[in-house]
Amino acid sequence: MQITWLHSKTTLPRAALEAIERERLVDLFRYSEQKKLTIVRAPAGYGKTTLLSQWFSSFNEPVAWLSVDATDNDPIRFWTYVIRSVSDTVTNAIDSKLLALFNEQSPLEFLIDSFLNEMELIPGEIRIVIDDYHLIKNPIIHGMMTRFIDYLPPNTWLFLASRTDLPLPLDKWRLQDSITEIGMDQLRFTYEEIERFYRIRGFSYETTDSLQHVLEATEGWAAGIQLAGLSGRASTADEWQRDAFDNTHPFITAFLLQEILASLSPSIQDFLVRTSILNQLEPVFCDALTNRTDSSAILLELEKKGLFIVRLHSSEPIFRYHHLFADALQVEMRQRYSKETIASIYEEVAILLRQQGDFLSAIELVLQGQLYETADTWITDHLIQIFTLGQTSTFIRWVRILQDHNYPVDIETLVMYVITLSNIYEMEEASRLIDELERRHEVDQWMETEEYRGMASILVTVKAFVLFAGVGDIEQATEIIVAQLKRGRVSSKWDNIPMQYNRLEARTLRTTIGARGKLWTTEVVIPFLDLFRKTEFKEQNMTGFGYGVQAETLYEHGYLDEALVELEAALEYGHRFQDPGLSIPMYILKSRVYAAQKQFVEAYAILDSAIDITKERHWLDSLRAMKAYCYLLDGNVLHAEQELSASTGLNHLDAQSEQEFWLFVHVRLLLAKGQVMEALKTTIRVKEKALRERQISTLLEAMVLEAICQLDVGNEEAALASLHNALEQGAPYGYVRTFLDELRVIPLLNKYLKVRQNDSKPYWTSVPITYVEQLLMSAQNETSRKDTMDKLTPRERDILKLLANGDTNREIAKQLALSEGTVRVYLSNIYRKLGVNSRTKAMLLANGEG
């Protein structure tokens, strides 16, 4: 299901015929063409929209326009409108090319990067205008906008209009001299401009002193100047006071109501008040709301009179009220009508929007009108569409509005809210709501009703997941699933709705389902995983992720061959469900296992085959970043740099991904090139983010790399301290490979052990010394095994690998096109070089157990 598309939001407003030309501001816009970003910032009524529409109405190059409203605070909705507006403007199917990113709820960073790449391919230049950006409150959108502006291609200019300061890194862009700012001082009318404006509008004034007083009283504020002209109060200077227009909302509202609205007929007044809650005024819609048939004529007459109305479509009579005017009309609504009548108006408009298919705007409106019961019902009715469209940010905000007003939210909505919270790792809130739902059951037995039995079954599974991934109570989670299996799961409409367990991460351990790096021992976790692998849960994608997380856990604990077995099962699920969020991390893990064994040819082959079948840009970038990592391990810095540069998702040599996996590879590349301070700076930034997000695996890797960076700058004390912090994080979960995969950490581990043995750092006892000794023993065994394997020829290694897989001599001979006698000769040489005297011992040594 697609987001309802409102063309008026992406239509360049028509400049009013009576708008005056302001050449000095036109010069500012001409100057702004030298900068990639222009911000027009001033309070309401300063003519920001008028100025932009005037400038771009006569523009020869393509202009994409977006008028923002409060419903655009969902990242998917906002960027859908931006991309669609650009796509329509340049008649290029950019939106179709990026559609897959929206449908898959792909990582938003990659959506921006892919959009930027598509824009760079546009022949010619394009301007993008986003009006009323101050209505955007979502920090995710601001972060995406920052990245968008940082990497704007050379053929693109961006214009933002706002009433308030923007939560964007303006100081950075000012230092880069890449921003033009137009504010109140520039937008204020001059005396000459007021004179021309009054003359064109036909407003009367008696003397030049009258106009001078208008200028002084309004301080050049466009809306105040227009108000004065409409009221006829510019005729005498004595009627003006210095603070007449002090830009305070109560006065503006009173003036608009007393001087403007009161002068209109009661019929028109009623029309204005009832339609004031509309974001856009379409004649058909206004007719339905006001029980009239002449809305088109009324809107055109209002425009002709120069009232506070803005045309949104050049050829059709589609308008919106100026924000000041709409606010004043809504004040009048509350004074004129009872609460019941106002509620009925909101409901009537919302019903019309919903009938048109715009259920998102309809729900927003009933929430504004405090019609919480209707909002709750509609949210429940459209839950599947909300999740299918990826509108989870909007969904969270809606539910919190209902909760803030103590409204008893529908059971199904609350259960899906719990799932949403757990997916974004707000486990404490999710756990609290689970308790609330269980208490509600004690009162009304909702779990036993036919209507909610399916949701009750889902809630039980979610509770087990929250206990497992969030609190770490695996025993209670197991008991819950066992009890549920005895009762039998209940099917629901949600069974066929795919859940996104991984939108971005190259490692499933970083996801919520991977408990953000809280590793479990095999003895503890296998009984829990078997509940999914051997029961009716086995056909669900969640079970596939269980295999994936276990594969990465086994690798991290040092069991490489066992990890390969688990990841093959996970890959089967990933392909069956066509879920790259599972299959890509498994391809990356498989290449990591081969790289750890110095089998780089196999590692490259795995990654290349995955790249050949992968279409999504962000997953391709992860695979390329892993290939760059393999090149670094293989000692090929040049190829690593080339591969990593190609994996940023942006056609800029200096562009960086913000994905932690990419950044860690980048840090290793910087270290290889001797750029240690830059590597350290990046590592600390990732570490601080991991601390905020409670990402154990990321935090541990960052601390290990920080130790290497400190060592490279000659600060051994700081390096040991960073290593201690890493060991402190890794010890409770038995991390091994994160240390062993960084060969330069091994000597530092030896120094750390000596410090501990000397008891010179008594406060370091938080790390069990046995854990450090085990890491060093594993490193020694791995080094010994590698030295031994280096004695073998390539053909002998091939035979040993097949031997380790359990193949017979006949099977080995068949696969390698050898005779069985030749295989026996090879095996004798292998035994001699490895220093063993039996097939079993050779197999154990090959598997790292000898």
Side-chain angles (χ1 to χ4, degrees):
M1 184 175 182
Q2 300 297 314
I3 294 173
T4 301
W5 185 251
L6 302 176
H7 286 282
S8 57
K9 285 170 60 65
T10 57
T11 301
L12 177 66
R14 191 179 74 175
L17 295 176
E18 62 273 17
I20 65 169
E21 292 290 338
R22 305 174 74 186
E23 188 62 30
R24 60 187 179 85
L25 295 179
V26 169
D27 289 340
L28 285 176
F29 276 115
R30 290 196 184 103
Y31 171 74
S32 73
E33 293 295 290
Q34 303 173 27
K35 313 293 178 67
K36 64 181 178 180
L37 172 64
T38 297
I39 294 178
V40 183
R41 181 175 56 243
Y46 271 86
K48 300 183 293 294
T49 302
T50 299
L51 179 63
L52 288 164
S53 62
Q54 270 186 297
W55 170 245
F56 288 115
S57 292
S58 58
F59 215 71
N60 294 325
E61 300 294 339
V63 178
W65 182 284
L66 173 60
S67 296
V68 171
D69 57 51
T71 62
D72 295 323
N73 268 283
D74 188 284
I76 294 297
R77 179 182 173 89
F78 177 84
W79 288 103
T80 298
Y81 264 107
V82 173
I83 292 170
R84 179 74 177 274
S85 175
V86 171
S87 184
D88 288 350
T89 301
V90 298
T91 60
N92 185 317
I94 293 175
D95 54 338
S96 298
K97 295 176 184 177
L98 302 183
L99 186 63
L101 296 181
F102 289 111
N103 289 346
E104 294 165 9
Q105 300 181 351
S106 299
L108 299 176
E109 170 199 337
F110 290 104
L111 172 62
I112 295 300
D113 292 352
S114 299
F115 180 33
L116 287 166
N117 271 334
E118 292 296 333
M119 288 175 56
E120 195 161 11
L121 298 175
I122 295 173
E125 301 176 344
I126 183 170
R127 275 75 179 168
I128 303 174
V129 184
I130 302 179
D131 196 17
D132 291 330
Y133 188 81
H134 59 273
L135 294 173
I136 298 299
K137 309 295 182 184
N138 192 321
I140 295 175
I141 297 177
H142 296 318
M144 296 171 73
M145 180 60 71
T146 299
R147 185 170 184 81
F148 182 68
I149 294 169
D150 277 339
Y151 298 111
L152 271 178
N155 64 338
T156 306
W157 286 263
L158 178 66
F159 297 78
L160 300 179
S162 172
R163 294 185 189 178
T164 61
D165 287 339
L166 302 178
L168 301 172
L170 301 184
D171 287 339
K172 178 182 76 173
W173 296 328
R174 288 170 183 141
L175 287 173
Q176 296 171 350
D177 195 27
S178 59
I179 180 174
T180 297
E181 296 178 86
I182 300 174
M184 283 193 301
D185 289 342
Q186 291 92 347
L187 292 173
R188 286 189 176 102
F189 270 58
T190 64
Y191 177 89
E192 292 76 14
E193 289 170 340
I194 294 177
E195 186 177 34
R196 287 206 312 271
F197 178 72
Y198 273 30
R199 185 169 64 252
I200 291 172
R201 286 293 183 100
F203 295 157
S204 62
Y205 61 94
E206 292 184 353
T207 65
T208 56
D209 287 344
S210 299
L211 286 186
Q212 187 61 39
H213 278 283
V214 170
L215 178 62
E216 292 175 1
T218 62
E219 297 183 354
W221 176 44
I225 292 165
Q226 185 178 2
L227 287 170
L230 288 169
S231 67
R233 291 181 60 181
S235 57
T236 60
D238 293 339
E239 293 180 355
W240 283 93
Q241 300 296 326
R242 174 68 61 180
D243 61 350
F245 287 91
D246 59 2
N247 205 16
T248 58
H249 193 76
F251 175 81
I252 299 169
T253 299
F255 190 93
L256 286 168
L257 295 178
Q258 294 170 12
E259 302 293 336
I260 306 302
L261 187 66
S263 65
L264 302 172
S265 69
S267 174
I268 299 301
Q269 289 183 33
D270 184 69
F271 176 91
L272 293 170
V273 171
R274 285 181 175 273
T275 58
S276 63
I277 62 175
L278 296 173
N279 286 327
Q280 64 178 38
L281 306 164
E282 297 185 51
V284 174
F285 210 81
C286 294
D287 282 344
L289 178 61
T290 59
N291 296 317
R292 306 178 70 109
T293 59
D294 59 347
S295 295
S296 179
I298 292 174
L299 292 170
L300 291 171
E301 183 62 23
L302 292 172
E303 181 189 28
K304 184 178 179 181
K305 290 183 176 179
L307 291 183
F308 287 75
I309 188 169
V310 179
R311 181 182 276 269
L312 298 176
H313 201 285
S314 58
S315 59
E316 299 178 26
I318 300 177
F319 300 85
R320 71 166 171 83
Y321 295 126
H322 189 288
H323 301 303
L324 292 172
F325 197 36
D327 290 345
L329 291 172
Q330 288 172 34
V331 169
E332 178 66 13
M333 178 189 287
R334 290 189 290 273
Q335 294 175 351
R336 183 175 293 197
Y337 301 128
S338 65
K339 289 184 179 180
E340 292 74 19
T341 301
I342 293 172
S344 68
I345 294 173
Y346 272 94
E347 185 170 32
E348 187 176 356
V349 174
I351 289 172
L352 289 169
L353 285 170
R354 190 168 179 239
Q355 288 173 346
Q356 288 188 341
D358 190 2
F359 72 88
L360 294 171
S361 297
I363 294 172
E364 288 283 356
L365 203 57
V366 291
L367 285 170
Q368 291 174 25
Q370 300 181 359
L371 301 168
Y372 301 125
E373 183 176 356
T374 302
D376 186 36
T377 301
W378 290 358
I379 291 171
T380 303
D381 290 346
H382 292 285
L383 270 177
I384 289 180
Q385 293 99 313
I386 291 168
F387 278 82
T388 302
L389 289 170
Q391 302 284 295
T392 51
S393 296
T394 297
F395 174 66
I396 290 172
R397 179 168 55 83
W398 286 345
V399 175
R400 285 177 175 165
I401 290 173
L402 294 173
Q403 289 178 324
D404 290 344
H405 290 85
N406 300 313
Y407 183 84
V409 181
D410 180 83
I411 294 293
E412 185 176 12
T413 298
L414 273 183
V415 172
M416 296 311 298
Y417 184 52
V418 171
I419 292 175
T420 305
L421 290 173
S422 65
N423 281 342
I424 61 175
Y425 216 73
E426 292 192 16
M427 294 300 190
E428 292 182 7
E429 178 66 8
S431 182
R432 185 190 67 78
L433 279 171
I434 290 171
D435 293 341
E436 179 184 317
L437 285 162
E438 290 177 338
R439 286 194 300 271
R440 188 186 289 193
H441 172 69
E442 294 174 1
V443 175
D444 58 17
Q445 299 299 302
W446 67 268
M447 294 185 186
E448 304 300 330
T449 64
E450 187 64 28
E451 179 183 4
Y452 292 125
R453 286 184 65 225
M455 299 312 298
S457 181
I458 291 174
L459 183 65
V460 171
T461 306
V462 175
K463 181 177 180 179
F465 173 68
V466 170
L467 287 167
F468 172 71
V471 184
D473 193 341
I474 195 169
E475 292 182 0
Q476 189 179 352
T478 303
E479 291 175 4
I480 289 172
I481 294 297
V482 169
Q484 184 183 25
L485 289 169
K486 288 180 179 179
R487 291 192 302 269
R489 288 181 66 252
V490 181
S491 62
S492 75
K493 65 183 181 183
W494 290 97
D495 290 345
N496 296 321
I497 305 300
M499 296 300 295
Q500 291 286 332
Y501 297 108
N502 182 21
R503 297 171 54 197
L504 165 66
E505 302 298 345
R507 300 181 69 188
T508 61
L509 283 175
R510 274 186 50 84
T511 65
T512 304
I513 206 167
R516 298 198 173 189
K518 297 178 181 177
L519 306 184
W520 298 94
T521 62
T522 302
E523 296 77 13
V524 172
V525 79
I526 284 298
F528 180 73
L529 293 178
D530 280 348
L531 293 175
F532 293 87
R533 298 178 178 186
K534 299 178 180 179
T535 66
E536 56 192 284
F537 286 103
K538 66 182 179 181
E539 298 303 321
Q540 295 190 6
N541 197 24
M542 179 172 59
T543 302
F545 272 89
Y547 278 105
V549 170
Q550 181 63 2
E552 291 183 357
T553 300
L554 287 167
Y555 173 84
E556 191 55 59
H557 284 157
Y559 303 114
L560 275 59
D561 293 306
E562 291 86 345
L564 285 171
V565 174
E566 294 286 306
L567 75 82
E568 290 297 343
L571 271 173
E572 191 276 327
Y573 276 88
H575 291 307
R576 188 200 313 173
F577 288 93
Q578 297 182 326
D579 189 345
L582 177 56
S583 59
I584 299 302
M586 292 303 100
Y587 284 124
I588 288 173
L589 176 60
K590 195 170 185 177
S591 66
R592 189 185 292 272
V593 171
Y594 283 126
Q597 298 171 334
K598 301 299 182 183
Q599 296 174 289
F600 293 109
V601 173
E602 290 86 346
Y604 298 139
I606 289 295
L607 293 170
D608 286 338
S609 64
I611 288 171
D612 287 341
I613 62 174
T614 301
K615 297 180 181 179
E616 299 86 348
R617 180 60 187 256
H618 54 282
W619 292 120
L620 282 171
D621 292 342
S622 295
L623 291 167
R624 291 192 181 103
M626 183 62 201
K627 194 171 180 181
Y629 175 62
C630 290
Y631 277 130
L632 285 172
L633 293 177
D634 202 10
N636 195 330
V637 176
L638 178 61
H639 279 108
E641 186 168 18
Q642 291 172 344
E643 199 71 42
L644 195 63
S645 178
S647 71
T648 61
L650 290 171
N651 297 327
H652 293 265
L653 294 177
D654 61 341
Q656 287 193 12
S657 170
E658 289 303 310
Q659 185 191 25
E660 286 79 1
F661 179 70
W662 188 96
L663 287 170
F664 281 143
V665 179
H666 183 55
V667 165
R668 294 179 176 96
L669 175 63
L670 291 172
L671 287 171
K673 294 170 62 178
Q675 299 173 6
V676 183
M677 292 310 298
E678 188 176 347
L680 180 60
K681 180 180 177 181
T682 301
T683 301
I684 291 174
R685 176 161 60 89
V686 177
K687 181 183 76 171
E688 291 172 347
K689 183 181 178 184
L691 280 167
R692 293 193 300 271
E693 296 179 351
R694 294 173 289 177
Q695 282 280 6
I696 300 300
S697 60
T698 304
L699 181 61
L700 180 58
E701 189 171 359
M703 289 174 170
V704 170
L705 289 173
E706 183 182 13
I708 295 173
C709 291
Q710 294 289 3
L711 199 61
D712 276 5
V713 297
N715 196 339
E716 184 177 293
E717 188 72 17
L720 287 170
S722 296
L723 179 61
H724 169 75
N725 292 334
L727 292 166
E728 196 170 39
Q729 293 292 330
Y733 307 107
Y735 273 86
V736 175
R737 295 302 316 183
T738 295
F739 295 95
L740 299 192
D741 286 344
E742 304 297 335
L743 295 180
R744 298 190 58 206
V745 168
I746 308 304
L748 198 60
L749 271 171
N750 279 305
K751 291 182 180 179
Y752 178 86
L753 182 60
K754 290 178 181 178
V755 171
R756 292 292 306 280
Q757 290 170 337
N758 295 332
D759 291 328
S760 58
K761 303 281 187 181
Y763 47 89
W764 280 2
T765 55
S766 56
V767 175
I769 199 167
T770 54
Y771 175 55
V772 183
E773 292 171 341
Q774 289 169 0
L775 286 175
L776 287 169
M777 181 64 70
S778 297
Q780 183 178 351
N781 290 340
E782 184 163 314
T783 301
S784 176
R785 176 174 172 272
K786 288 176 181 176
D787 290 343
T788 301
M789 294 302 169
D790 286 342
K791 299 175 183 178
L792 304 180
T793 66
R795 175 61 79 179
E796 288 170 344
R797 290 175 193 167
D798 291 338
I799 291 174
L800 184 60
K801 184 177 180 181
L802 294 173
L803 182 71
N805 290 336
D807 291 358
T808 65
N809 285 6
R810 178 176 296 178
E811 290 168 336
I812 294 173
K814 184 177 180 180
Q815 292 183 62
L816 298 180
L818 301 172
S819 69
E820 289 188 51
T822 303
V823 170
R824 285 194 295 271
V825 172
Y826 270 120
L827 287 175
S828 296
N829 289 332
I830 290 170
Y831 296 165
R832 177 177 53 80
K833 290 181 179 180
L834 296 182
V836 299
N837 56 12
S838 71
R839 189 184 193 94
T840 301
K841 290 181 179 179
M843 291 173 64
L844 290 173
L845 188 61
N847 287 317
E849 300 174 16

